[in-house]
Amino acid sequence: MIALSLAEIAAVVGGQTHDIPDPSVQVTGPVVRDSREVVPGSLFAAFVGEHVDGHDFAPQVAEAGAVAVLASRPVGVPAIVVEDVTKALGALARHVVARAGANLVALTGSAGKTSTKDLIAQVLSSKAPTIWPEGNLNNEIGLPLTALRVTHDTQYLVLEMGARYIGDIRYLTSLTPPKIGLVLNVGTAHIGEFGGREQIAQAKGEIIEGLPEDGAAILNADDPLVRAMAPRTKAKVVLFGESAEADVRAENVRLTDSGQPSFRLHTPSGACDVTMRLYGEHHVSNALAAAAVAHELGMSAEEIATALSEAGTLSRWRMEVTERPDGVTIVNDAYNANPESMRAALRALAAMGKGRRTWAVLGKMAELGDEALAEHDAVGRLAVRLNVSKLVAVGGIEASWLQLGAYNEGSWGEESVHVSDAQAAIDLLRSELRPGDVVLVKASRSVGLENVAQALVEGEVAAR
């Protein structure tokens, strides 16, 4: 973070200093919320959670070198006390970002946010110092913590913005006003909270409403609900996609034998070929979004294509591919799931598994509301239509809907099985996997199917 004195921070956040002998002492390290991440010079933000109260760790963080605690009550060590730690953190982020002057890129969408954020970060960091969130720190706490990592050397700040309700993204943009706003897609993630795709579109489009006139709104030309957002901004509109009308587009899209996308990238500054290290055709749209951002920030088509071809996976449990010594391939995409990402992952599995047995180990997709039954049924049916050798549906009633969809779509009902939990799935796979098989593992985060993927990565099967 940009070095600030405790007196300056207190003034910015409207807080009162407690037990601070010298308010001129500066915070020179990171702002953190996890006591294990404290280093000398840090500012520790104390949050009260359901099971843990960060204020209880105040003596520990002070001993580890934290300059002060941002707290909602005095804690017996140097502290800046505020009414609301979350709002104070946001105010501090707003101040620091304005001081740093980095080019700020913000993105949102129903699916692919984190993967696209990682691509943008890798492309931009090939040109200049870039800050981006680890994982999916995209809410009112995670976003400020990322923004507070900027320094005077930072040229690009890439932020992911999530939403559960209308107004969430508008609040985030008020903390860190972007110059470039990107909307990937409008799907059915969190449709249970929003009530419909039109409401989701309303929420996602907030990211471009406050853009400056010299900014850019990057919109998906292939998604009608996203494309229709154009009138909501006074900034320049840049379209990406496979549509002929897109400013940044892909032609001759294909998958390599290993399931990695290859295409001809066209930008207003030229065209170049791209072959990605990532898996699945859905990454083409993500790559085009990243290319559009990079083009607006002055990178050439050749620079963008080179960076996209070299980019890898930065965030865990998102299409992580592990080749075991015995020939089994594990695709760990267990971080989260919604209908759009499920379909994309299944298509990637089908492409990777040509000529091999394929397994889709799937669990529930959360927060779908009244659409849950239909969406789980549709995913189960798609697995059969894509000729996935076996669907293993893991968990409760939502998993049974996955299995039933596959059963009803299949010729003999042998394409699917329903098991009770992760351990049952592990036991089944360990007994039936053969060298050469490809296994996809995916569900909403609450299901915990990363444990299945990890168990399979660590184990081997005998040749059968």
Side-chain angles (χ1 to χ4, degrees), residues 14-58:
Q16 299 294 319
T17 58
H18 285 260
D19 302 305
I20 296 177
D22 183 4
S24 67
V25 171
Q26 292 189 325
V27 172
T28 56
V31 181
V32 300
R33 63 173 301 186
D34 187 331
S35 62
R36 295 166 296 185
E37 297 176 357
V38 169
V39 296
S42 296
L43 177 67
F44 176 71
F47 290 93
V48 179
E50 185 177 349
H51 302 292
V52 177
D53 185 344
H55 296 78
D56 296 339
F57 294 90

Short mmCIF file of all heavy atoms in Angstrom, two decimals, residues 14-58:
data_model
loop_
_atom_site.label_atom_id
_atom_site.label_comp_id
_atom_site.label_asym_id
_atom_site.label_seq_id
_atom_site.Cartn_x
_atom_site.Cartn_y
_atom_site.Cartn_z
N GLY A 14 -12.66 8.54 9.05
CA GLY A 14 -13.52 9.12 10.08
C GLY A 14 -13.44 8.38 11.40
O GLY A 14 -14.45 8.24 12.10
N GLY A 15 -12.26 7.90 11.76
CA GLY A 15 -12.09 7.11 12.97
C GLY A 15 -11.41 7.86 14.10
O GLY A 15 -10.85 8.95 13.90
N GLN A 16 -11.43 7.28 15.26
CA GLN A 16 -10.77 7.82 16.44
C GLN A 16 -9.56 6.95 16.79
O GLN A 16 -9.64 5.72 16.75
CB GLN A 16 -11.73 7.85 17.64
CG GLN A 16 -12.96 8.70 17.43
CD GLN A 16 -12.63 10.18 17.30
OE1 GLN A 16 -11.77 10.69 18.03
NE2 GLN A 16 -13.31 10.86 16.38
N THR A 17 -8.44 7.60 17.10
CA THR A 17 -7.24 6.84 17.47
C THR A 17 -7.30 6.45 18.95
O THR A 17 -7.71 7.24 19.80
CB THR A 17 -5.97 7.66 17.20
OG1 THR A 17 -6.03 8.89 17.92
CG2 THR A 17 -5.84 7.96 15.70
N HIS A 18 -6.88 5.23 19.24
CA HIS A 18 -6.83 4.72 20.62
C HIS A 18 -5.50 4.02 20.83
O HIS A 18 -5.06 3.22 19.99
CB HIS A 18 -7.97 3.73 20.87
CG HIS A 18 -9.31 4.37 21.03
ND1 HIS A 18 -9.89 4.59 22.26
CD2 HIS A 18 -10.18 4.85 20.12
CE1 HIS A 18 -11.06 5.17 22.10
NE2 HIS A 18 -11.26 5.33 20.81
N ASP A 19 -4.88 4.33 21.97
CA ASP A 19 -3.63 3.66 22.37
C ASP A 19 -2.54 3.82 21.32
O ASP A 19 -1.72 2.91 21.11
CB ASP A 19 -3.87 2.17 22.65
CG ASP A 19 -4.91 1.95 23.73
OD1 ASP A 19 -4.73 2.50 24.83
OD2 ASP A 19 -5.91 1.23 23.47
N ILE A 20 -2.53 4.97 20.64
CA ILE A 20 -1.51 5.25 19.62
C ILE A 20 -0.61 6.36 20.15
O ILE A 20 -1.01 7.53 20.18
CB ILE A 20 -2.15 5.67 18.28
CG1 ILE A 20 -2.96 4.51 17.71
CG2 ILE A 20 -1.08 6.11 17.28
CD1 ILE A 20 -3.69 4.85 16.42
N PRO A 21 0.59 6.04 20.59
CA PRO A 21 1.47 7.07 21.16
C PRO A 21 1.96 8.08 20.13
O PRO A 21 2.18 9.24 20.44
CB PRO A 21 2.62 6.27 21.76
CG PRO A 21 2.55 4.92 21.14
CD PRO A 21 1.14 4.69 20.71
N ASP A 22 2.11 7.64 18.87
CA ASP A 22 2.64 8.54 17.84
C ASP A 22 1.81 8.38 16.56
O ASP A 22 2.05 7.48 15.76
CB ASP A 22 4.10 8.20 17.55
CG ASP A 22 4.73 9.15 16.53
OD1 ASP A 22 4.04 10.10 16.10
OD2 ASP A 22 5.89 8.91 16.15
N PRO A 23 0.83 9.26 16.33
CA PRO A 23 -0.03 9.15 15.14
C PRO A 23 0.70 9.36 13.82
O PRO A 23 0.13 9.09 12.76
CB PRO A 23 -1.07 10.26 15.37
CG PRO A 23 -1.04 10.54 16.83
CD PRO A 23 0.37 10.33 17.23
N SER A 24 1.95 9.83 13.87
CA SER A 24 2.70 10.03 12.62
C SER A 24 3.32 8.74 12.09
O SER A 24 3.84 8.70 10.97
CB SER A 24 3.80 11.07 12.83
OG SER A 24 4.81 10.58 13.71
N VAL A 25 3.27 7.68 12.91
CA VAL A 25 3.80 6.38 12.46
C VAL A 25 3.03 5.94 11.21
O VAL A 25 1.80 6.07 11.14
CB VAL A 25 3.66 5.33 13.57
CG1 VAL A 25 3.98 3.94 13.04
CG2 VAL A 25 4.58 5.68 14.72
N GLN A 26 3.75 5.41 10.23
CA GLN A 26 3.14 5.07 8.95
C GLN A 26 2.85 3.57 8.81
O GLN A 26 3.60 2.73 9.33
CB GLN A 26 4.05 5.49 7.80
CG GLN A 26 4.18 6.99 7.63
CD GLN A 26 4.90 7.35 6.36
OE1 GLN A 26 5.83 6.66 5.93
NE2 GLN A 26 4.49 8.45 5.74
N VAL A 27 1.77 3.29 8.11
CA VAL A 27 1.50 1.93 7.64
C VAL A 27 2.26 1.77 6.32
O VAL A 27 1.98 2.47 5.35
CB VAL A 27 -0.01 1.70 7.41
CG1 VAL A 27 -0.25 0.34 6.74
CG2 VAL A 27 -0.75 1.78 8.73
N THR A 28 3.21 0.87 6.31
CA THR A 28 4.04 0.66 5.12
C THR A 28 3.83 -0.72 4.51
O THR A 28 4.32 -1.00 3.42
CB THR A 28 5.53 0.82 5.47
OG1 THR A 28 5.85 -0.09 6.53
CG2 THR A 28 5.82 2.24 5.92
N GLY A 29 3.12 -1.57 5.23
CA GLY A 29 2.87 -2.93 4.75
C GLY A 29 1.45 -3.07 4.22
O GLY A 29 0.72 -2.09 4.04
N PRO A 30 1.01 -4.30 4.00
CA PRO A 30 -0.33 -4.53 3.46
C PRO A 30 -1.43 -4.34 4.50
O PRO A 30 -1.18 -4.39 5.71
CB PRO A 30 -0.26 -5.99 3.01
CG PRO A 30 0.72 -6.62 3.94
CD PRO A 30 1.76 -5.56 4.19
N VAL A 31 -2.65 -4.12 4.01
CA VAL A 31 -3.84 -4.16 4.85
C VAL A 31 -4.40 -5.57 4.75
O VAL A 31 -4.68 -6.06 3.65
CB VAL A 31 -4.88 -3.12 4.40
CG1 VAL A 31 -6.10 -3.17 5.31
CG2 VAL A 31 -4.27 -1.73 4.38
N VAL A 32 -4.59 -6.25 5.89
CA VAL A 32 -5.00 -7.65 5.88
C VAL A 32 -6.14 -7.86 6.86
O VAL A 32 -6.32 -7.09 7.81
CB VAL A 32 -3.83 -8.59 6.22
CG1 VAL A 32 -2.69 -8.44 5.21
CG2 VAL A 32 -3.31 -8.32 7.63
N ARG A 33 -6.89 -8.92 6.64
CA ARG A 33 -7.96 -9.30 7.58
C ARG A 33 -7.67 -10.64 8.25
O ARG A 33 -8.39 -11.04 9.15
CB ARG A 33 -9.30 -9.38 6.86
CG ARG A 33 -9.37 -10.44 5.78
CD ARG A 33 -10.76 -10.59 5.21
NE ARG A 33 -11.73 -10.96 6.22
CZ ARG A 33 -13.00 -11.27 5.95
NH1 ARG A 33 -13.43 -11.26 4.70
NH2 ARG A 33 -13.84 -11.61 6.92
N ASP A 34 -6.64 -11.33 7.81
CA ASP A 34 -6.25 -12.62 8.36
C ASP A 34 -4.99 -12.40 9.21
O ASP A 34 -3.96 -11.94 8.70
CB ASP A 34 -5.97 -13.61 7.23
CG ASP A 34 -5.72 -15.03 7.72
OD1 ASP A 34 -5.22 -15.19 8.85
OD2 ASP A 34 -5.99 -15.98 6.96
N SER A 35 -5.08 -12.73 10.48
CA SER A 35 -3.95 -12.48 11.39
C SER A 35 -2.69 -13.20 10.95
O SER A 35 -1.57 -12.77 11.25
CB SER A 35 -4.33 -12.88 12.81
OG SER A 35 -4.62 -14.28 12.88
N ARG A 36 -2.84 -14.29 10.21
CA ARG A 36 -1.68 -15.05 9.75
C ARG A 36 -0.92 -14.34 8.64
O ARG A 36 0.21 -14.71 8.31
CB ARG A 36 -2.12 -16.44 9.27
CG ARG A 36 -2.69 -17.32 10.37
CD ARG A 36 -3.41 -18.53 9.82
NE ARG A 36 -4.60 -18.14 9.04
CZ ARG A 36 -5.46 -19.00 8.52
NH1 ARG A 36 -5.28 -20.30 8.69
NH2 ARG A 36 -6.51 -18.57 7.84
N GLU A 37 -1.54 -13.31 8.05
CA GLU A 37 -0.90 -12.59 6.95
C GLU A 37 -0.21 -11.31 7.41
O GLU A 37 0.37 -10.59 6.60
CB GLU A 37 -1.95 -12.25 5.89
CG GLU A 37 -2.58 -13.48 5.24
CD GLU A 37 -3.69 -13.13 4.27
OE1 GLU A 37 -4.00 -11.91 4.15
OE2 GLU A 37 -4.23 -14.04 3.64
N VAL A 38 -0.24 -11.04 8.69
CA VAL A 38 0.38 -9.81 9.21
C VAL A 38 1.89 -9.89 9.10
O VAL A 38 2.51 -10.89 9.43
CB VAL A 38 -0.04 -9.59 10.68
CG1 VAL A 38 0.79 -8.48 11.32
CG2 VAL A 38 -1.52 -9.25 10.76
N VAL A 39 2.47 -8.80 8.61
CA VAL A 39 3.93 -8.62 8.57
C VAL A 39 4.22 -7.25 9.17
O VAL A 39 3.31 -6.43 9.33
CB VAL A 39 4.47 -8.72 7.14
CG1 VAL A 39 4.23 -10.11 6.55
CG2 VAL A 39 3.86 -7.65 6.23
N PRO A 40 5.47 -6.98 9.52
CA PRO A 40 5.78 -5.65 10.06
C PRO A 40 5.32 -4.53 9.13
O PRO A 40 5.55 -4.57 7.93
CB PRO A 40 7.31 -5.69 10.18
CG PRO A 40 7.61 -7.14 10.44
CD PRO A 40 6.64 -7.88 9.59
N GLY A 41 4.64 -3.55 9.72
CA GLY A 41 4.13 -2.43 8.93
C GLY A 41 2.70 -2.57 8.49
O GLY A 41 2.15 -1.67 7.85
N SER A 42 2.05 -3.69 8.80
CA SER A 42 0.68 -3.96 8.34
C SER A 42 -0.35 -3.14 9.11
O SER A 42 -0.11 -2.68 10.23
CB SER A 42 0.32 -5.44 8.51
OG SER A 42 1.11 -6.26 7.70
N LEU A 43 -1.54 -3.02 8.49
CA LEU A 43 -2.75 -2.59 9.17
C LEU A 43 -3.70 -3.77 9.18
O LEU A 43 -4.00 -4.34 8.12
CB LEU A 43 -3.39 -1.41 8.44
CG LEU A 43 -4.72 -0.89 9.02
CD1 LEU A 43 -4.51 -0.27 10.39
CD2 LEU A 43 -5.37 0.12 8.06
N PHE A 44 -4.15 -4.17 10.36
CA PHE A 44 -5.03 -5.33 10.49
C PHE A 44 -6.47 -4.87 10.62
O PHE A 44 -6.80 -4.08 11.51
CB PHE A 44 -4.63 -6.16 11.70
CG PHE A 44 -5.54 -7.33 11.97
CD1 PHE A 44 -5.55 -8.43 11.14
CD2 PHE A 44 -6.40 -7.32 13.07
CE1 PHE A 44 -6.39 -9.52 11.38
CE2 PHE A 44 -7.24 -8.40 13.34
CZ PHE A 44 -7.24 -9.50 12.48
N ALA A 45 -7.34 -5.32 9.71
CA ALA A 45 -8.76 -5.00 9.76
C ALA A 45 -9.49 -6.08 10.53
O ALA A 45 -9.49 -7.25 10.13
CB ALA A 45 -9.32 -4.86 8.34
N ALA A 46 -10.12 -5.71 11.64
CA ALA A 46 -10.77 -6.68 12.53
C ALA A 46 -12.26 -6.76 12.20
O ALA A 46 -13.00 -5.79 12.40
CB ALA A 46 -10.57 -6.28 13.98
N PHE A 47 -12.69 -7.91 11.72
CA PHE A 47 -14.10 -8.14 11.40
C PHE A 47 -14.70 -9.13 12.40
O PHE A 47 -14.01 -10.04 12.87
CB PHE A 47 -14.25 -8.70 9.99
CG PHE A 47 -13.94 -7.70 8.91
CD1 PHE A 47 -12.66 -7.61 8.37
CD2 PHE A 47 -14.91 -6.83 8.45
CE1 PHE A 47 -12.37 -6.69 7.40
CE2 PHE A 47 -14.63 -5.90 7.48
CZ PHE A 47 -13.35 -5.82 6.94
N VAL A 48 -15.96 -8.93 12.69
CA VAL A 48 -16.69 -9.84 13.56
C VAL A 48 -17.44 -10.82 12.68
O VAL A 48 -18.39 -10.44 11.98
CB VAL A 48 -17.65 -9.09 14.49
CG1 VAL A 48 -18.41 -10.08 15.37
CG2 VAL A 48 -16.90 -8.07 15.33
N GLY A 49 -17.02 -12.09 12.69
CA GLY A 49 -17.66 -13.11 11.88
C GLY A 49 -18.63 -13.95 12.69
O GLY A 49 -18.84 -13.71 13.89
N GLU A 50 -19.19 -14.94 12.02
CA GLU A 50 -20.16 -15.81 12.69
C GLU A 50 -19.51 -16.64 13.79
O GLU A 50 -20.11 -16.91 14.83
CB GLU A 50 -20.82 -16.72 11.65
CG GLU A 50 -21.93 -17.59 12.20
CD GLU A 50 -22.61 -18.42 11.13
OE1 GLU A 50 -22.37 -18.16 9.93
OE2 GLU A 50 -23.38 -19.33 11.48
N HIS A 51 -18.27 -17.04 13.56
CA HIS A 51 -17.58 -17.91 14.51
C HIS A 51 -16.33 -17.29 15.11
O HIS A 51 -15.85 -17.74 16.15
CB HIS A 51 -17.21 -19.24 13.83
CG HIS A 51 -18.37 -19.97 13.25
ND1 HIS A 51 -19.35 -20.53 14.03
CD2 HIS A 51 -18.72 -20.22 11.95
CE1 HIS A 51 -20.26 -21.11 13.25
NE2 HIS A 51 -19.90 -20.93 11.99
N VAL A 52 -15.76 -16.27 14.45
CA VAL A 52 -14.48 -15.69 14.88
C VAL A 52 -14.61 -14.17 14.93
O VAL A 52 -15.18 -13.55 14.03
CB VAL A 52 -13.34 -16.09 13.93
CG1 VAL A 52 -12.03 -15.43 14.36
CG2 VAL A 52 -13.17 -17.60 13.90
N ASP A 53 -14.08 -13.58 15.98
CA ASP A 53 -14.04 -12.12 16.12
C ASP A 53 -12.59 -11.67 15.96
O ASP A 53 -11.73 -11.99 16.79
CB ASP A 53 -14.58 -11.72 17.49
CG ASP A 53 -14.69 -10.20 17.66
OD1 ASP A 53 -14.08 -9.47 16.86
OD2 ASP A 53 -15.38 -9.77 18.59
N GLY A 54 -12.33 -10.91 14.88
CA GLY A 54 -10.97 -10.48 14.61
C GLY A 54 -10.37 -9.63 15.71
O GLY A 54 -9.14 -9.59 15.87
N HIS A 55 -11.21 -8.96 16.49
CA HIS A 55 -10.69 -8.14 17.59
C HIS A 55 -9.93 -8.98 18.60
O HIS A 55 -9.01 -8.47 19.28
CB HIS A 55 -11.84 -7.41 18.29
CG HIS A 55 -12.55 -6.42 17.41
ND1 HIS A 55 -13.48 -6.81 16.46
CD2 HIS A 55 -12.46 -5.07 17.33
CE1 HIS A 55 -13.94 -5.73 15.84
NE2 HIS A 55 -13.35 -4.67 16.35
N ASP A 56 -10.28 -10.25 18.73
CA ASP A 56 -9.61 -11.12 19.70
C ASP A 56 -8.15 -11.35 19.36
O ASP A 56 -7.37 -11.80 20.20
CB ASP A 56 -10.34 -12.46 19.79
CG ASP A 56 -11.76 -12.33 20.33
OD1 ASP A 56 -12.04 -11.31 20.99
OD2 ASP A 56 -12.58 -13.24 20.06
N PHE A 57 -7.78 -11.08 18.11
CA PHE A 57 -6.40 -11.33 17.67
C PHE A 57 -5.53 -10.08 17.76
O PHE A 57 -4.38 -10.09 17.30
CB PHE A 57 -6.40 -11.85 16.23
CG PHE A 57 -7.05 -13.19 16.06
CD1 PHE A 57 -8.41 -13.30 15.80
CD2 PHE A 57 -6.31 -14.36 16.18
CE1 PHE A 57 -9.01 -14.54 15.65
CE2 PHE A 57 -6.90 -15.60 16.04
CZ PHE A 57 -8.26 -15.69 15.78
N ALA A 58 -6.05 -9.00 18.33
CA ALA A 58 -5.31 -7.75 18.37
C ALA A 58 -3.93 -7.89 19.02
O ALA A 58 -2.92 -7.41 18.47
CB ALA A 58 -6.14 -6.68 19.08
#
